[in-house]
Amino acid sequence: MTVAQLRERLNFYRDLGVDEIYRRENVGQAISLPVIPEGVILPAAPAALPSLAPEGDTLLKIRQDIGDDCRRCRLCEGRAKIVFGSGNEQSRLVFVGEGPGADEDASGLPFVGRAGQLLTQMIENTATKEGIPIRRPDVYICNVVKCRPPENRAPQPDEMEICGQFLFRQLMAIRPKAICAMGSTAAKAVLGTKDGVTKLRGKWHKWRDIPVMVTYHPSYLLRPYNQDAKREAWEDLKKVLHFVYD
Ligand code: URA
C-alpha cells in the first residue's frame, strides 16, 4: 500500500468518526489515529490496517460509545430518543432499515410503527408458512442512522457516514449469518453502492464476508399500488429465512 493510499484509508476512518485504533495484541488499549503529512515517505510498508472495531466489541459497548446525548450530527436537534436496535443480540439474521420514524423516536425502539408492524407480519407469517420456527424477537433489527431525520427525510451522506460506524460495529459484534438490507439507504450504507433496490434485490451480495440480501423497505410496501413489490419482498424474505435457518 502506498503512503497516499494509507492516508486516504486513515482519512476515511477519521471521516467515519473513528479517532482511535486498536491493535489485536493490545485489546482495550487505544492508539490515536496518526496523521500522515503530505510528502512523507514511510521507511517500510505499513502493517495491515486494523479493523474498524476493537476486538471483543459488544453491543453494550457500542451503545455506551454512542452516549446518551450524541451530538455527532445534526439529527440530534430534533431527536427525542436514540434508537439503537432491538432483538436477539446473538441472532443469525440482522435486518437493517433506514432511520427511526415518529413512533420509533418516541419509544426508542426500531420498527414499531406501521412499517414495523408490516415487517413483523412479514417475518412471522413467512416463517410460519415455511415451517421455520422463528418470531420477530429471534432476529436483530436496527437502522443506518439512530436518530429520526426531520420530516422523515432520507438521511444525508454525512449523517450516514457518521452513524454508519456504529452500524458496522453492530454488524461486526453480532456477526450474523446474513444481513437483510431494507430499502435504498440501507443498501447504500451496507454495500456502498448507488444502485437502486430494483436492481439489487433478490440476489446475494456481501458486506465483508457476510451475505447480504437487499429488499424493499416496508414503508414502500405500505403504498397501495405496490403489489408486485410486495410479492417480490416476500420472495426475498423466503430466500433469506431458508438460507439462515435451514
Ligand atoms: N423506518 C425505518 O427505516 N426504521 C424504523 O425503525 C422505522 C421506520
Side-chain angles (χ1 to χ4, degrees), residues 82-197:
I82 293 172
V83 179
F84 181 65
S86 74
N88 176 1
E89 303 196 348
Q90 272 115 44
S91 179
R92 281 185 268 163
L93 176 57
V94 173
F95 287 85
V96 180
E98 178 173 297
D103 295 310
E104 291 78 19
D105 181 58
S107 67
L109 293 168
F111 282 97
V112 292
R114 279 185 71 221
Q117 284 158 24
L118 176 60
L119 177 62
T120 306
Q121 262 181 31
M122 286 173 68
I123 294 170
E124 299 197 346
N125 293 352
T126 309
T128 304
K129 236 185 187 166
E130 298 298 312
I132 297 166
I134 61 141
R135 312 283 297 162
R136 171 172 165 154
D138 297 315
V139 303
Y140 190 81
I141 302 178
C142 59
N143 286 300
V144 176
V145 295
K146 315 299 187 204
C147 297
R148 184 191 181 197
E151 320 292 334
N152 294 337
R153 66 157 168 78
Q156 292 174 1
D158 61 329
E159 296 157 359
M160 286 170 62
E161 265 192 29
I162 292 165
C163 221
Q165 64 167 309
F166 299 115
L167 170 67
F168 296 150
R169 282 178 61 187
Q170 284 174 297
L171 296 176
M172 277 190 275
I174 298 171
R175 283 214 130 276
K177 187 168 173 191
I179 297 164
C180 183
M182 302 180 291
S184 60
T185 298
K188 203 183 291 174
V190 174
L191 301 177
T193 174
K194 284 191 180 135
D195 289 341
V197 174

